[in-house]
Amino acid sequence: MKKHLSLLTISLLCLITVANSQTYGLVLHGGAGTITKAGLSKERQNVYETGLQKALDAGYFVLDEGGNAEDAVIAAIRILEDDSNFNSARGSVLNANGAVEMDASIMKGVDLNAGAVAGVTTVRHPIEAATKVMLSSPHVMMSNAGADLFAKEQGLEIMPTSYFITKGSQATLKGVQDRLKEQGSVESEYPDWKFGTVGVAALDKQGNLAAGTSTGGMTNKMHNRIGDSPIIGAGTYANNKTCAVSCTGHGEYFIRLNLAHEVSALMLYKGYDVEKAASFMIHKSLSDMGGSGGLVAMDRKGHISMPFNTPGMFRAYQMSDGRKSVLMFKDEE
Amino acid sequence: MKKHLSLLTISLLCLITVANSQTYGLVLHGGAGTITKAGLSKERQNVYETGLQKALDAGYFVLDEGGNAEDAVIAAIRILEDDSNFNSARGSVLNANGAVEMDASIMKGVDLNAGAVAGVTTVRHPIEAATKVMLSSPHVMMSNAGADLFAKEQGLEIMPTSYFITKGSQATLKGVQDRLKEQGSVESEYPDWKFGTVGVAALDKQGNLAAGTSTGGMTNKMHNRIGDSPIIGAGTYANNKTCAVSCTGHGEYFIRLNLAHEVSALMLYKGYDVEKAASFMIHKSLSDMGGSGGLVAMDRKGHISMPFNTPGMFRAYQMSDGRKSVLMFKDEE
């Protein structure tokens, strides 16, 4: 009898250990594009690596402390939004009028709750504005002045226009507009003018997924264009049944393909794993349509996928089982 | 030999007949809600029936003449947008500030091309503005002043504010706001304050699908709220591989469920037919989440689905094989 009891105790302990062994962690991106070793000085590589690592640390800290996946998403994106090297918030590119218009969204896998803002111009952290829409409004999506006003009323930090507009973004806009006027095309000199986004997929100790995305959109976009980043199902999606996804790239294609949601549908209905589903959408569906970009995705077991069909993608991950890396070029793992 | 030749001729004729026997037609909705025989006078029933029939005729005429599915969608929606009895364009409900903000989108099944506008305030036909975004801009989605300006530059008809704001919509807004202030709830007196949309799914002689949706949103919505109607994959979706879908109802749920796109995914990846996929999404997924509404959907063979979990839904269809009906209550076919 004693023997049976100790066997039972051991079995129970094993079960508890398994229950506690939920892998947690996050994967993030800082945009896909023409990111190559030849085109990026060591110094610039270091700058990007430092930014990605800082965001990774902030997100992982939240998860390691037992925080929710969505709070890890917010913590990591806040860092990237403050970093002028990435196309979101402070580092946003400019629209055709020379103004900043920022998009962001967030989604929780546990209850499919979601929030998004499009075309905000004053919020320091658009990802927080999206979160406020999710938690403190009856709506999922708000835009422009209404979203800015709501964010302000919710007590979020508001910044003057000068905070978001840099000499660099103004020079890029002028360059793109001049080339378009002179040559009708800008791809050779500004290959990444349509790109740039930051995003995170996170898995917490409770086994819940969340995803978020934030962007300044594409350089020279028309006034009040909305890209895929604030569209639930296009640029951002999270569902505990499948995965959390954040996309980056030429947003119009991601909207038409419902790309983030389609990754989830392939897992849910076709039984694909996250790698197969995400790779199929980027390397087959997106590529076949002529679109460029990439995504980061994570499933509930902590499997990560980071496909892109551009020369490179800023990306990083850290998991509780020891996996961690900061990457930007192709053929890195 | 002669006999063989005539057999061949007959076979070829049969093949041509089969090739020409593509069913075509359209299904449309004018919103779901508390639409019951007891609550609607015969006179009001006639008003709605007349409006739906007129839109149906306009859309069917385009298809019958050999026009494209998207042109049939536009033709039918234009009629409903001009009809102040339906919540879109002229009949739009008012937001919390007493203003009209209209959303619309359109999608083609043949190439997944799509266009959408959110929060436009001056365009007589928001569905045409969405089409212009699809055809004449590099973008898929535009919002607010930028979308209004673009529509004007594209030569679309612009109307003064007074055209869109009716005494009826002002009275409803006041009623809803008063009840919310006094009772915190308005459902008993204004059960449909969150509803109202118009939308079409069409199939043309070439076998191509298209879908479109147009709405004034929900009464008392916050300034610059975006619902599901202009979100590709939420309120509108079309894919020749599966179906064309237009949704109506409490939009926030449709966004979180990616409802229109999920109907397509269930068909594509699980082998559901359009009726099973659409019914599952409305009666299971939407209902389980606590959301209300409905949709109209059509597949490439002309099968129609029109599920809703509200007491009624304004809906109508006409197909080249003779099927046709104008309906509004439950348990009608």
Side-chain angles (χ1 to χ4, degrees), chain A residues 41-99:
Chain A
S41 69
K42 266 280 165 207
E43 197 188 343
R44 287 299 294 161
Q45 289 182 36
N46 284 340
V47 165
Y48 287 118
E49 264 172 24
T50 305
L52 294 168
Q53 185 63 58
K54 212 173 138 193
L56 197 62
D57 290 345
Y60 192 78
F61 178 80
V62 170
L63 297 171
D64 205 37
E65 295 282 300
N68 292 330
E70 59 271 25
D71 290 332
V73 167
I74 297 163
I77 289 183
R78 275 174 54 99
I79 301 285
L80 295 167
E81 285 180 336
D82 280 348
D83 187 333
S84 62
N85 294 293
F86 298 96
N87 178 9
S88 71
R90 173 129 222 199
S92 287
V93 298
L94 303 182
N95 72 8
N97 299 346

Side-chain angles (χ1 to χ4, degrees), chain A residues 29 50 66 72 78 97-98 107 112 141 173 189 197 214 216 222 247 256 271 283 303 308 328:
Chain A
H29 68 77
T50 305
R78 275 174 54 99
N97 299 346
M107 186 167 193
L112 305 184
M141 189 170 186
L173 177 65
E189 278 142 309
T197 318
S214 182
M222 289 168 70
C247 298
R256 292 167 60 198
H283 295 300
H303 296 125
F308 51 95
M328 54 189 78

Side-chain angles (χ1 to χ4, degrees), chain A residues 20 31 37 50 58 98 101 112 131 160 196 231 242 249 255 278 281 300 309 315-316 320 328:
Chain A
N20 279 338
K37 260 189 197 166
T50 305
E101 293 181 329
L112 305 184
T131 307
I231 309 280
T242 53
I255 298 177
M281 287 312 299
R300 265 189 108 172
N309 66 1
R315 60 203 189 277
S320 59
M328 54 189 78

Side-chain angles (χ1 to χ4, degrees), chain B residues 165-247:
Chain B
I165 298 181
T166 64
K167 284 201 173 146
S169 61
Q170 284 177 321
T172 302
L173 176 66
K174 191 176 178 318
V176 165
Q177 289 183 332
D178 287 351
R179 294 305 166 285
L180 280 175
K181 220 174 284 173
E182 291 158 16
Q183 308 163 13
S185 159
V186 301
E187 258 67 22
S188 58
E189 278 142 310
Y190 295 93
D192 294 341
W193 69 300
K194 288 174 180 166
F195 299 127
T197 318
V198 308
V200 181
L203 171 64
D204 62 31
K205 282 184 181 175
Q206 292 72 45
N208 292 320
L209 292 163
T213 311
S214 182
T215 188
M218 54 187 268
T219 297
N220 200 38
K221 65 183 178 183
M222 290 169 70
H223 173 44
N224 286 347
R225 169 258 195 183
I226 297 179
D228 65 313
S229 299
I231 309 280
I232 298 304
T236 302
Y237 189 73
N239 187 336
N240 272 4
K241 286 184 188 163
T242 52
C243 62
V245 184
S246 171
C247 299

Side-chain angles (χ1 to χ4, degrees), chain B residues 47-86:
Chain B
V47 165
Y48 287 117
E49 264 172 25
T50 306
L52 294 168
Q53 186 64 56
K54 214 174 137 193
L56 196 62
D57 290 345
Y60 192 78
F61 178 79
V62 170
L63 296 171
D64 205 36
E65 294 282 301
N68 292 328
E70 60 272 25
D71 290 331
V73 167
I74 297 163
I77 290 183
R78 275 174 54 99
I79 301 284
L80 296 167
E81 284 180 337
D82 280 349
D83 187 333
S84 62
N85 294 292
F86 298 97

Side-chain angles (χ1 to χ4, degrees), chain A residues 114-131:
Chain A
V117 291
V120 292
T121 60
T122 63
V123 193
R124 178 171 174 183
H125 293 296
I127 191 66
E128 291 185 335
T131 307

Side-chain angles (χ1 to χ4, degrees), chain B residues 288-302:
Chain B
D288 281 359
M289 202 183 242
S292 303
L295 63 81
V296 295
M298 187 179 301
D299 71 11
R300 266 189 108 172
K301 290 186 176 163

